[in-house]
Amino acid sequence: MSVSAPSAASAPQTAAQAVSGQAPPAEQQGAGGIGLTLLVIEDDPAGALSVPRMLDEGGRPVKVRTARNLTEAARLLTDDVHCILLDLSLPCDEAGGDSADRIDRIDRSDRLDSAAAARECRLRGQGDGDGTRVRGARYGTGAAGGGEAGRVGDAAPAYDAPHAPHANGERHASGECYASSGAYASLGRGVSAGTDVSAGTGAGLGTRAGEGARETEGTRGDSDGTAREGAAAESGELEILRRVLRMAPRHAVLALTDGADAERDADAVRVGAQDYLIRDELDGRLLTRAIRYAVERKRNDLAQRQLTETRLRAQENARLERGLLPRPLLEGSELRFAARYRPGRSRALLGGDFYDTVRTPDGTVHAMIGDVCGHGPDEAALGVELRIAWRALTFAGLCGDALLSTLQKVLEHERASEEIFATLCTVDIDSDGRSAGICLAGHPSPLFAGAGGAAPRVLPYDESGPALGLLPKARWPRRRVALGRAWSLMMYTDGLIEGRVDEGAGGKERLGQQGMLDIVSRRMAEGARGERLLDATMNDVRHLNGGELTDDVAVLLLDRAADR
């Protein structure tokens, strides 16, 4: 197929060459108002068809680029190409096949030539001879007398027919007859070492059967070869398409066929082409519609694939993040546990805040809440590492300053930069539940509410240490706190108290610890406890903020009922 492509150097096409009529608006689906560009891959010397002039939705001619093989196509395939029109009848050699493909095609061609040469050799080769020598195979030397047979596969030396005299199937003076490579493969299917070659009858390859039998065998070989060539040709056409699809995975591809094989045409679409066009039915209007349809279909396919990949990735991330969220280990404890967690990152399940609660074999309940500065996935990953490290160190028997010093080493080795730090609050509740030890590392102090309806209060935070990662040799004192018979202890991150309070005058102030204390006091006075208390507090903070909080938020609540 020959292509007539408009260019700056060529004269405009005449009205006879242009597409008759303008495509309706519904069909003018250019790429967002940008002119379409078509890359045609073909090499038909007959020039049976020309690509007519086509107009995009802006009335501009569709740009056409022509490549004669895949090497040229790769050079012309730029980002501004919207569609590829591939002629499936493009010869394999022109398609830029690899060396193995070309060798295989040459070998098949040689076998066909060898068949003709061998038949001519049999017709001319009457009388005695020393056997048949074929390029690339070794044949033994038979007896000189007529009717004696040479043995195929003996150790006599062989040489290539192109370098031998009388290489075109003619008899040599010594009686040798030469054919090109592969003659035995085409004519003597099943011939193996030890098969007799009749010299007296001038037979090349085959058995001692008569000339008619040998001709029948040769005909059968030619027929099988033709069938194999047809299958190889069909496979080669689809292989060319596969190569183009691999070369241009994000471009629309149209397959141009002769229409002789409907199943093969359908296979082209199944392989990955957006559509196929029949050469004899092609006109400008049809091609214009096909290009625009193919471009939009490819764009939709890519969007659907990206959407599917994004959905699968989100599901996988969700499963991963759920697996990284803590599972409290409080079996055997009389304490009630409740927690709320909301990352500041959009569509994330895990943020830089972290918490955990475990009960060790001695009956002590250990609770922890922390906050890594920042809001990205790296901070979330570091928070998970610190939480897991805390749990391991707690079960190993560490607490207070020894535990926090070790956690700081973990932070220093795992953080992405020296500017990263983390705040932390740990509480170790004695096995009787009446007292606890508290350590603060730059973290807000917990809220505590005692028995008898006492108003909640913020625990003292004057004896606290710096955040982890700030001072290499820092120390963290451990403060003892009396809890009593019944109590509630709320631990939280600064995301909860850094929400804004809309005062209606255009200015916003932060909620702060006192604002949060007021909310919790009011809700506890209304009888809210446990899960209800956390939900009510979170809702009130969001309402005062005027929407969702921008920072990560983690809240942990431990309750102990009065002794019975």
Side-chain angles (χ1 to χ4, degrees), residues 251-281:
H251 290 76
V253 177
L254 293 172
L256 186 63
T257 73
D258 56 10
D261 189 343
E263 183 65 25
R264 181 204 56 189
D265 298 344
D267 286 340
V269 177
R270 283 192 289 267
V271 167
Q274 271 59 60
D275 203 351
Y276 69 88
L277 301 172
I278 298 176
R279 183 179 292 105
D280 294 339
E281 300 177 359

Side-chain angles (χ1 to χ4, degrees), residues 20-35:
S20 58
Q22 185 175 354
E27 298 171 2
Q28 296 179 354
Q29 300 177 7
I34 302 175

Side-chain angles (χ1 to χ4, degrees), residues 18 42 134 230 297 312 392 400 470 492 524 537:
E42 58 83 33
V134 181
R297 181 177 178 183
L312 292 176
L470 293 182
Y492 52 92
M524 291 188 70
T537 301

